[in-house]
Amino acid sequence: MNFILLGAPGSGKGTVAEALNKSFGLTHISTGDLFRMNIGNCTELGQKAKAFIDKGDLVPDDITVAMVKGRLSDKDCLSGFMLDGFPRTIPQAEALETMLQLTGQKIDAVINLQVSDAVIIRRISDRRVCKECGATYSISFNPPLKEDHCDVCDGLIVQRADDMPDTVLTRLATYARKTKPLVDYYAGKGILMTVDNEMGIGFAMRQIQDELKSKNIIN
Ligand code: ADP
Ligand code: ZN
């Protein structure tokens, strides 16, 4: 099974990916995480991507597509993968289709997470991440046990530069302009599933499992 997780920034793609992973054991590919890893390791790719990410803009398609192509050719993707944050533009979706045609793979379902802008803005302003291991926290709903330190690794907890309020508005506008057209694109291919993700992960997972069953993707 291969899935795409679609949704605005802060719509909970990471949380849903984690839960889906527990149920189905798919390889999780988050382009945001891959970029942040490259930035952390000061790679050439990371240096190119950083300026775009910090402003809330998308990283150019050629850079992003090349990175995903490399990741999808890893062996652990053969038994099923879940793309989180890719594709984010129509040209990226077209490039993905070409890539998968070459390897005889296909996307089984595109899970579109729906959350209102008001909830997104609150969730993102509450979001904190561990600088060392990337674990995420919410200062309102899921704060770390020890203030400013990660429960997992004791690393420092920070706010992502692109989670600052002005940048969030840019990211939402970019989403509406560049990524939202993918909803129609995948609806046209008959593989879109729309899931309400305002009510918590349990509710979202039940909708996903019901839809996957009704489409005979799982038993
Ligand atoms: P969110 O979904 O909350 O915006 P991500 O971690 O998925 O967070 O992405 C963070 C940033 O990484 C994006 O704002 C964008 O700059 C960059 N990025 C991630 N995926 C892509 C992509 N597919 N194409 C271009 N840029 C991307
Ligand atoms: Zn940590």
Side-chain angles (χ1 to χ4, degrees):
M1 269 184 315
N2 302 314
F3 294 150
I4 291 173
L5 281 176
L6 200 62
S11 60
K13 295 188 293 289
T15 311
V16 170
E18 212 174 281
L20 279 171
N21 231 348
K22 278 196 192 130
S23 309
F24 304 116
L26 304 171
T27 296
H28 178 200
I29 304 170
S30 156
T31 41
D33 285 349
L34 289 175
F35 283 132
R36 281 185 290 276
M37 205 170 72
N38 274 282
I39 292 169
N41 295 333
C42 299
T43 67
E44 206 185 316
L45 174 82
Q47 274 167 355
K48 279 190 203 152
K50 188 177 185 326
F52 297 100
I53 293 176
D54 284 352
K55 275 191 297 187
D57 291 338
L58 294 182
V59 178
D61 287 339
D62 55 340
I63 300 177
T64 309
V65 167
M67 178 178 77
V68 171
K69 203 169 178 177
R71 182 66 186 90
L72 279 178
S73 67
D74 291 341
K75 264 218 231 59
D76 62 350
C77 294
L78 282 174
S79 52
F81 58 81
M82 188 170 33
L83 286 167
D84 159 1
F86 182 91
R88 257 172 151 105
T89 64
I90 296 278
Q92 288 181 13
E94 290 169 348
L96 174 66
E97 221 173 293
T98 309
M99 268 181 239
L100 295 180
Q101 263 161 14
L102 289 174
T103 52
Q105 289 166 291
K106 69 174 173 53
I107 299 295
D108 298 287
V110 177
I111 301 169
N112 178 34
L113 301 178
Q114 279 205 317
V115 178
S116 66
D117 279 5
V119 171
I120 284 176
I121 289 167
R122 202 191 60 225
R123 278 189 191 166
I124 293 186
S125 66
D126 273 6
R127 174 158 70 187
R128 297 292 182 276
V129 296
C130 170
K131 234 180 141 171
E132 303 304 325
C133 77
T136 60
Y137 298 89
S138 156
I139 49 174
S140 311
F141 300 110
N142 166 36
L145 297 171
K146 215 163 86 188
E147 205 181 333
D148 296 334
H149 287 275
C150 178
D151 296 350
V152 182
C153 76
D154 206 43
L156 195 64
I157 301 230
V158 295
Q159 187 167 30
R160 269 166 50 178
D162 62 339
D163 279 352
M164 301 297 176
D166 287 352
T167 315
V168 171
L169 293 180
T170 309
R171 282 160 66 202
L172 285 174
T174 305
Y175 169 79
R177 199 157 42 90
K178 298 231 173 115
T179 309
K180 226 171 169 193
L182 291 177
V183 172
D184 286 340
Y185 179 88
Y186 285 118
K189 295 188 183 291
I191 53 174
L192 188 81
M193 287 172 30
T194 295
V195 169
D196 179 338
N197 197 29
E198 285 210 8
M199 248 89 87
I201 185 68
F203 185 70
M205 285 302 289
R206 272 196 300 281
Q207 292 172 75
I208 292 173
Q209 298 200 326
D210 288 349
E211 285 252 16
L212 290 174
K213 274 184 197 156
S214 76
K215 293 199 157 84
N216 287 321
I217 298 171
I218 58 169
N219 296 313

